[in-house]
Amino acid sequence: MAEEHYLELSENPVQFEHASSVNNVFFDEANKQVFAVRSGGATGVVVKGPDDKSSVAFRMDDKGEVKCIKFSIGNKILAVQRTSKSVDFINFIPDYPHTEFSQECKTKNANILGFCWTNWNEIVFITDQGIEFYQVFPDKRSLKLLKSQSINVNWYQYCPETAVILLSTTVQGNILQPFAFRNGTMCKMSKFEIELPVVPKPAKLSLSERDIAMATMYGQLYVMYLKHHSRTANSPSAEVVLYHLSREGSCKKSHVLKLNTTGKFALNIVDNLVVVHHQSSQTSLIFDIKLKEPDCALNIHQPVLPARSIHPYRIPLSGPAVVPSQPPVPCQLYSSSWSVFQPDIIISASEGYLWYLQVKLPPTVNLLQDKGKLMDFLLRRRECKMVILSVCSQILEVGEKGSLPVVATVFDKLNQVYKDYLEAEQSYTQAMESGPSRGSAAQKRPVRTQAVIDQSDMYTHVLSSFTERKGVSHKFIIAVLMEYIRSLNQFQITVQHYLYELVIKTLVQHNLFYMLHQFLQYHVLSDSKPLACLLLSLESTYPPAHQLSLDMLKRLSTANDEIIEVLLSKQQVLGALRFIRSVGGHDNASARKFLDAARQTGDQMLFYTVFRSFQQRNQRLRGSPAFNPGEHCEEHVAHFKQLFGEQALMKPSTV
């Protein structure tokens, strides 16, 4: 059975001192850093981040239990909260004073719930009575209050990617007030209400911080509410309700993800997918909010794939007591000691590991039978190119019965993305050529994602090997090639000549010359110089190909030189001479090229005719039949004299 685990933990996790050997472990979502804090005499702190640059170890004075600890962006300033009234700061900027300085919250009788860095030198204190936005001056070891807002706060959440803080207000906690921060400014966004499940009176539900998460998907910010089932309601299953949070305008309920089960859940966002972990079944579900369900009401989503567990993970043993032959220990997945952070982080404090959750695309291919839906799903993923190409090959492997409409659907979906990219690229090029227009923002060059599957990709990885596959009927092969060309034409994408060449070679290989003739006659295969040259090479197999090639070159009108080269290479020297006269190019033609070709035929009378033709041209243009030195025809003049005598040379006519 094919492997079906479509989620996995990152191979190289961030390792830190596990909870049993330290007093406290903190995670900073903005910098993706784990702080392992050990107190006693002096407080020792080991910070582990995604790379060595963001990892650091230091000691600080023990001034009480650490409630929260975070670096500003770039590890420049450390903020430590030890009490509910103030936050302490330590400079980590080289050559700045290293002594601690402190800032109390301005609001009387308020308790600090936590703080968030919104810039390297800007910080927000969240208290139970509101928020205070400060600028930090590390050189002066002081802070300046930029703005504050009074509001009763139960708890808060922060999305570092968008610098938006979400405050829970009111007794039930379900009125949420977001604030956005950017370059020293604080913007109050529209507040909104989370609809809580109905419960029988007098019981009252309140919104728990555990059931809310904030994350961005497809460039948009969403608040995700994990709505547990109400025992009295008719719908016993839990669901995730997504609220779209825009900087301007109100926050709207936009999507509902049906979990079809109950229990304890946790949420991650990976590659624009909502991943819902279910602890009791030890499985995860994935949802794609861009995939519409045909049978469901608008924006109600079922899982894209069946529930599966995360791929088993083994923890390698380390330390002096480890025997080399000792096998790695299996990690307990979906452990109660796991903490899940946005967007894609899972931390096991007991084992001292931080993992990034990842989506594996190959296993999804066999789990999603609808190939059109599969393609929609894959095209939105980051590392999708090779999986998409393998799906294309797989569809063609299946055989012929009823698969052509599926092939057509897949080609159209790929070429829609390809066309969108080409148009964006063209628009960018035009904008660059015309220069910046007044009042318009500078246009960014379109990013070529892995979803852009061009003709070269299809030719190299799918079509060329497909045409050589044994046991597939030539009719199906040609139908598939023509389907791809049809799709390109439908999206007005210029078909590359190598695709036409593939069609022609396939037709010739199966002796389908009548079909080749028809394709050319009705311009199913577009004219091009490489195609005309390919036709010429087929003359020995299919004699009419020669004339078909010449006709194509004539239609191209810019291919006169190629036509002459072709005719001369076929030793049709007089034909070439007639053609060059017909297009008015005789006066500028290279006499030497024609004389070389005539001489190679070994036909003396042909050589005489061509030689005399160019003498007459010289006489008409220059008043003398002689060749100019620059034409390098001395060798041919000597050959003419040898064959026919000097008296046969044309004499200059005297008027």
Side-chain angles (χ1 to χ4, degrees):
M1 185 179 167
E3 190 202 1
E4 291 190 342
H5 301 285
Y6 49 76
L7 291 167
E8 65 181 353
L9 301 173
S10 50
E11 255 181 57
N12 300 311
V14 175
Q15 282 182 270
F16 57 91
E17 290 186 80
H18 50 76
S20 60
S21 63
V22 294
N23 298 79
N24 252 321
V25 174
F26 300 93
F27 179 62
D28 172 16
E29 291 180 62
N31 291 317
K32 309 280 189 286
Q33 290 171 319
V34 180
F35 289 75
V37 179
R38 184 190 279 109
S39 55
T43 303
V45 182
V46 177
V47 185
K48 288 294 181 79
D51 50 44
D52 292 339
K53 279 184 192 170
S54 54
S55 300
V56 64
F58 56 89
R59 302 180 83 76
M60 56 188 187
D61 295 339
D62 194 345
K63 296 181 179 178
E65 187 193 347
V66 174
K67 293 178 183 292
C68 186
I69 182 167
K70 293 174 190 175
F71 269 117
S72 73
I73 294 152
N75 288 9
K76 288 185 166 62
I77 308 164
L78 180 73
V80 186
Q81 183 192 348
R82 296 183 176 99
T83 74
S84 60
K85 300 296 179 186
S86 66
V87 177
D88 302 325
F89 296 88
I90 305 171
N91 283 329
F92 273 73
I93 303 169
D95 306 326
Y96 274 56
H98 204 67
T99 46
E100 284 191 24
F101 54 103
S102 189
Q103 176 66 49
E104 286 194 1
C105 66
K106 299 282 188 187
T107 314
K108 277 187 179 178
N109 303 321
N111 294 309
I112 298 173
L113 302 176
F115 60 84
C116 303
W117 287 102
T118 59
N119 206 332
W120 79 268
N121 64 342
E122 289 167 9
I123 193 167
V124 183
F125 291 3
I126 300 96
T127 74
D128 54 4
Q129 294 180 34
I131 55 174
E132 300 172 4
F133 183 33
Y134 292 95
Q135 184 174 359
V136 185
F137 295 96
D139 50 343
K140 297 175 183 172
R141 298 173 51 246
S142 65
L143 282 79
K144 174 189 172 187
L145 182 67
L146 299 174
K147 205 167 182 181
S148 64
Q149 177 85 39
S150 291
I151 183 171
N152 286 331
V153 181
N154 304 308
W155 48 262
Y156 73 96
Q157 290 215 355
Y158 180 53
C159 176
E161 202 178 338
T162 53
V164 170
I165 292 176
L166 194 65
L167 306 179
S168 159
T169 70
T170 69
V171 177
Q172 284 186 280
N174 64 326
I175 304 292
L176 300 182
Q177 174 63 65
F179 289 88
F181 298 84
R182 186 185 285 167
N183 302 331
T185 63
M186 179 174 97
C187 165
K188 187 178 183 181
M189 298 163 74
S190 300
K191 66 181 177 182
F192 62 100
E193 182 178 356
I194 298 281
E195 296 170 29
L196 296 173
V198 179
V199 290
K201 291 178 180 177
K204 270 194 174 178
L205 277 180
S206 60
L207 184 64
S208 164
E209 181 182 359
R210 286 195 308 271
D211 295 334
I212 291 288
M214 262 199 304
T216 56
M217 277 176 288
Y218 297 111
Q220 301 295 314
L221 179 59
Y222 291 90
V223 173
M224 300 182 287
Y225 166 45
L226 189 50
K227 188 176 183 180
H228 297 280
H229 74 292
S230 151
R231 285 185 178 81
T232 56
N234 293 328
S235 58
S237 296
E239 55 192 31
V240 178
V241 184
L242 268 56
Y243 292 82
H244 179 220
L245 198 55
S246 58
R247 283 185 183 267
E248 292 83 29
S250 58
C251 179
K252 291 189 175 69
K253 179 177 169 179
S254 57
H255 299 272
V256 177
L257 316 180
K258 293 288 187 183
L259 303 185
N260 306 318
T261 186
T262 59
K264 195 176 176 186
F265 301 96
L267 302 173
N268 275 132
I269 303 294
V270 184
D271 205 359
N272 292 314
L273 295 166
V274 182
V275 181
V276 184
H277 307 291
H278 186 227
Q279 193 178 21
S280 58
S281 68
Q282 299 201 349
T283 59
S284 302
L285 293 166
I286 59 171
F287 295 85
D288 186 347
I289 60 169
K290 285 272 179 97
L291 277 183
K292 298 282 190 290
E293 291 290 332
D295 305 329
C296 285
L298 187 68
N299 294 341
I300 292 179
H301 303 266
Q302 293 294 334
V304 178
L305 301 167
R308 293 288 184 271
S309 69
I310 294 169
H311 191 280
Y313 186 87
R314 292 181 177 276
I315 296 172
L317 296 172
S318 58
V322 173
V323 179
S325 60
Q326 257 181 297
V329 179
C331 167
Q332 190 194 339
L333 300 175
Y334 303 92
S335 160
S336 55
S337 71
W338 275 16
S339 301
V340 172
F341 295 92
Q342 299 314 316
D344 56 355
I345 285 166
I346 294 173
I347 291 179
S348 172
S350 62
E351 290 164 324
Y353 279 92
L354 177 152
W355 294 281
Y356 291 94
L357 187 65
Q358 297 166 340
V359 173
K360 290 198 298 180
L361 294 180
T364 67
V365 172
N366 297 321
L367 291 171
L368 200 51
Q369 296 309 312
D370 180 336
K371 296 306 175 203
K373 190 176 175 183
L374 173 64
M375 209 46 71
D376 288 336
F377 173 78
L378 292 174
L379 283 166
R380 297 192 184 101
R381 309 286 75 83
R382 275 194 300 266
E383 304 291 324
C384 65
K385 177 168 278 187
M386 295 318 293
V387 182
I388 287 173
L389 292 167
S390 75
V391 170
C392 291
S393 293
Q394 190 187 61
I395 293 169
L396 298 180
E397 262 174 34
V398 171
E400 304 160 36
K401 277 194 175 175
S403 62
L404 210 53
V406 177
V407 170
T409 301
V410 168
F411 286 164
D412 286 348
K413 286 181 185 295
L414 297 181
N415 288 330
Q416 177 68 67
V417 177
Y418 181 21
K419 174 66 172 174
D420 291 344
Y421 170 74
L422 291 175
E423 282 183 344
E425 187 71 42
Q426 189 181 6
S427 164
Y428 171 79
T429 306
Q430 287 169 349
M432 290 299 102
E433 285 170 357
S434 59
S437 56
R438 203 180 301 167
S440 71
Q443 199 170 346
K444 284 184 180 175
R445 181 167 200 143
V447 178
R448 179 171 181 147
T449 66
Q450 285 209 8
V452 179
I453 309 286
D454 63 19
Q455 297 172 64
S456 168
D457 296 323
M458 282 299 288
Y459 176 84
T460 308
H461 298 283
V462 181
L463 298 175
S464 57
S465 56
F466 169 63
T467 57
E468 290 164 14
R469 194 172 299 145
K470 300 284 185 281
V472 182
S473 83
H474 59 263
K475 284 183 183 174
F476 183 61
I477 291 173
I478 291 156
V480 167
L481 295 176
M482 296 316 296
E483 196 56 59
Y484 186 59
I485 289 168
R486 185 252 347 131
S487 181
L488 291 169
N489 285 327
Q490 183 178 312
F491 289 98
Q492 297 174 318
I493 300 168
T494 306
V495 182
Q496 295 297 319
H497 66 84
Y498 48 75
L499 289 172
Y500 290 137
E501 286 177 18
L502 198 57
V503 174
I504 291 173
K505 283 175 181 170
T506 307
L507 291 168
V508 170
Q509 197 178 342
H510 295 95
N511 296 319
L512 299 171
F513 297 112
Y514 68 93
M515 199 180 277
L516 171 60
H517 215 110
Q518 282 183 317
F519 281 176
L520 293 165
Q521 202 172 351
Y522 296 109
H523 305 293
V524 174
L525 307 176
S526 299
D527 296 345
S528 73
K529 290 179 188 177
L531 207 57
C533 292
L534 175 65
L535 286 171
L536 273 175
S537 69
L538 298 173
E539 189 186 359
S540 57
T541 319
Y542 182 55
H546 176 69
Q547 193 55 47
L548 288 168
S549 166
L550 286 183
D551 292 344
M552 186 179 284
L553 288 167
K554 282 176 188 169
R555 286 195 299 274
L556 286 165
S557 71
T558 55
N560 294 340
D561 291 343
E562 280 83 353
I563 294 173
I564 290 160
E565 292 294 342
V566 165
L567 292 169
L568 291 179
S569 69
K570 299 286 175 187
Q571 299 195 337
Q572 296 183 16
V573 186
L574 291 180
L577 209 50
R578 280 195 295 275
F579 175 76
I580 204 165
R581 282 195 185 122
S582 72
V583 295
H586 188 231
D587 291 356
N588 301 314
S590 161
R592 181 180 172 178
K593 183 190 286 186
F594 279 81
L595 291 168
D596 280 346
R599 192 168 164 185
Q600 278 170 8
T601 64
D603 184 335
Q604 293 183 4
M605 287 318 295
L606 175 64
F607 182 74
Y608 181 91
T609 307
V610 173
F611 190 91
R612 183 50 61 93
S613 164
F614 280 101
Q615 277 196 312
Q616 287 166 346
R617 180 200 70 169
N618 296 344
Q619 176 71 42
R620 177 169 51 78
L621 292 177
R622 302 195 286 269
S624 164
F627 292 97
N628 283 340
E631 291 183 272
H632 305 294
C633 290
E634 296 81 6
E635 185 189 334
H636 294 300
V637 171
H639 184 65
F640 186 88
K641 286 180 188 174
Q642 188 185 339
L643 290 177
F644 307 109
E646 191 156 347
Q647 70 283 0
L649 285 170
M650 239 178 102
K651 301 290 185 287
S653 58
T654 51
V655 181

